[in-house]
Amino acid sequence: MVVNWGIIGTGNIANAFASALKHAKEAQLVAVGSRSKQSAVKFGTTYGIPEEHCHPTYDDLFSDPKVHAVYICTPHPYHCELALMGAKAGKHLLVEKPMAMNEKEAVQIIDAAKDNNVFFMEGYMYRCHPQTKKLCEIISQGLIGDVKLIRANFSYNGTSYGPESRVWNNELGGGALLDIGGYPLSLARLVAGAARGLPFSNPDSLQAIGKLSSTNVDEWTIASLNFSNNEIGAQLFTGIFADSDCTAEVIGSAGTIRLTSPWRPDVPEMGKPTIVLTKPGEAPTTIEDYEPLGTSIFVFEAEEVSNAILAGQKECRFMTWEDSIGQVKAMDEWRRQIGLKYNAD
């Protein structure tokens, strides 16, 4: 058995996921939905989708009986409406992060998945990658002792896209935090959980500062988080005004772990992916005893979701519904503190 996938959206991420489906086990791409027939056919031709399954509307894709699961990768503000449509149509759902603009929308999506008995996952694809699994294993084994501090950064030069780009448009959910800031935040929550033998942990408190652009999106923002009654701290940075360090570091009582490329270990332009373990008085050790990193990160995600669907599961073990609710609550608080608002609020 295989899961027949449809994709809503024809942008860069849609192309990355479509390419990954060519190599994923138990999964195949059978349909695409766009806002025009021309766009859908152009995308479908690239990936061998018959024209009758290249849909000019999203409704048509959700009505396609050949489609089992749908990957939604439109701009953020459209995620909620499309996810609700998909759930009501009985389609399993993988929704690109962030799954929703705020907690209210996120709850609506998960309630719809429950009511219609369909699978749902928020698409933090790095959570499915072997490197992330290895990080959690190292922490769970106590190789760096008690986790004390988590540092994580993600930024890029969004100015090169021009002022008309989605990332600078408030109405399209632009800004650093919603675009890429969720990665450092979700990693901090993941690591803080692993330190306690849990799948994730939510912060007890969050304090943030940031700079809003003239188009009312965040150019950059920094947050400090407190977990486990101040036993674990986190320092997070995200920005879209310049290329910068995109790494993660976990400091423990007996050592430090550094990930040189935590978010897209499959993209050479983001640096060679390594996990470096450093202990006091010892030379740094590069940990390499995990699955090779050359495979597209979306292959791991597609296979994980497809396997869960075929097994009759409704959640992904690496990003559960409860985890996503904790994530959006923290994102909402971060936005509140820097004064970042969207129409959905």
Side-chain angles (χ1 to χ4, degrees), residues 30-31 52-53 55 59-68 91:
V30 301
E52 61 265 30
H53 294 288
H55 301 294
D59 275 324
D60 287 344
L61 182 131
F62 287 130
S63 299
D64 190 333
K66 193 173 183 180
V67 174
H68 303 146
K91 306 301 185 185

Side-chain angles (χ1 to χ4, degrees), residues 27-342:
Q28 62 182 358
L29 178 60
V30 301
V32 61
S34 186
R35 290 176 291 181
S36 71
K37 184 69 173 181
Q38 181 182 9
S39 175
V41 169
K42 181 180 179 181
F43 185 93
T45 300
T46 302
Y47 299 102
I49 302 172
E51 186 170 341
E52 61 265 30
H53 294 288
C54 296
H55 301 294
T57 71
Y58 302 143
D59 275 324
D60 287 344
L61 182 131
F62 287 130
S63 299
D64 190 333
K66 193 173 183 180
V67 174
H68 303 146
V70 178
Y71 176 48
I72 297 173
C73 50
T74 59
H76 318 321
Y78 306 115
H79 288 179
C80 182
E81 179 183 3
L82 291 171
L84 296 180
M85 290 170 59
K88 291 177 182 177
K91 306 301 185 185
H92 301 295
L93 299 170
L94 172 62
V95 180
E96 182 57 26
K97 58 78 210 159
M99 63 178 285
M101 297 299 292
N102 52 40
E103 182 185 357
K104 179 181 177 180
E105 289 189 350
V107 170
Q108 289 177 337
I109 294 171
I110 291 175
D111 284 347
K114 292 177 182 177
D115 293 343
N116 293 279
N117 197 33
V118 297
F119 176 95
F120 166 79
M121 177 189 169
E122 182 176 18
Y124 279 101
M125 71 287 191
Y126 86 95
R127 286 283 194 93
C128 302
H129 196 274
Q131 179 176 242
T132 308
K133 299 175 192 175
K134 189 63 180 181
L135 169 64
C136 292
E137 179 184 315
I138 293 169
I139 293 167
S140 298
Q141 291 175 344
L143 295 185
I144 61 168
D146 297 329
V147 172
K148 297 295 185 180
L149 181 64
I150 304 156
R151 293 177 178 154
N153 309 309
F154 198 174
S155 69
Y156 64 85
N157 182 14
T159 59
S160 63
Y161 298 160
E164 303 304 317
S165 167
R166 170 190 64 81
V167 300
W168 297 103
N169 189 326
N170 181 279
E171 291 186 0
L172 293 179
L177 186 55
L178 260 62
D179 194 37
I180 54 175
Y183 287 95
L185 176 60
S186 67
L187 182 76
R189 296 176 55 255
L190 178 69
V191 170
R196 300 172 56 200
L198 301 171
F200 65 88
S201 181
N202 293 318
D204 297 326
S205 64
L206 183 155
Q207 294 181 318
I209 59 171
K211 170 67 168 61
L212 300 188
S213 71
S214 59
T215 59
N216 199 31
V217 302
D218 53 315
E219 291 185 21
W220 61 266
T221 180
I222 301 169
S224 295
L225 285 71
N226 161 36
F227 294 91
S228 304
N229 295 318
N230 217 32
E231 291 295 325
I232 300 173
Q235 298 173 333
L236 313 177
F237 162 72
T238 187
I240 54 170
F241 68 95
D243 291 326
S244 185
D245 177 51
C246 295
T247 62
E249 185 178 46
V250 184
I251 303 172
S253 59
T256 299
I257 305 168
R258 180 176 173 82
L259 276 67
T260 57
S261 183
W263 320 124
R264 291 298 305 272
D266 57 328
V267 176
E269 291 79 6
M270 294 193 72
K272 182 181 179 181
T274 56
I275 298 178
V276 180
L277 172 63
T278 303
K279 288 178 168 288
E282 300 180 12
T285 301
T286 300
I287 298 175
E288 299 176 331
D289 60 333
Y290 56 94
E291 201 165 345
L293 300 174
T295 304
S296 165
I297 199 167
F298 292 99
V299 171
F300 295 108
E301 181 182 47
E303 289 184 345
E304 184 64 38
V305 172
S306 296
N307 288 334
I309 291 171
L310 292 173
Q313 299 167 3
K314 299 299 180 284
E315 303 181 56
C316 175
R317 55 183 173 156
F318 298 122
M319 194 73 195
T320 64
W321 298 347
E322 186 181 2
D323 196 346
S324 286
I325 292 298
Q327 176 77 2
V328 72
K329 284 183 176 181
M331 292 277 277
D332 282 356
E333 175 59 18
W334 194 336
R335 288 199 297 114
R336 186 191 69 79
Q337 293 206 14
I338 64 174
L340 179 59
K341 296 182 179 180
Y342 295 103

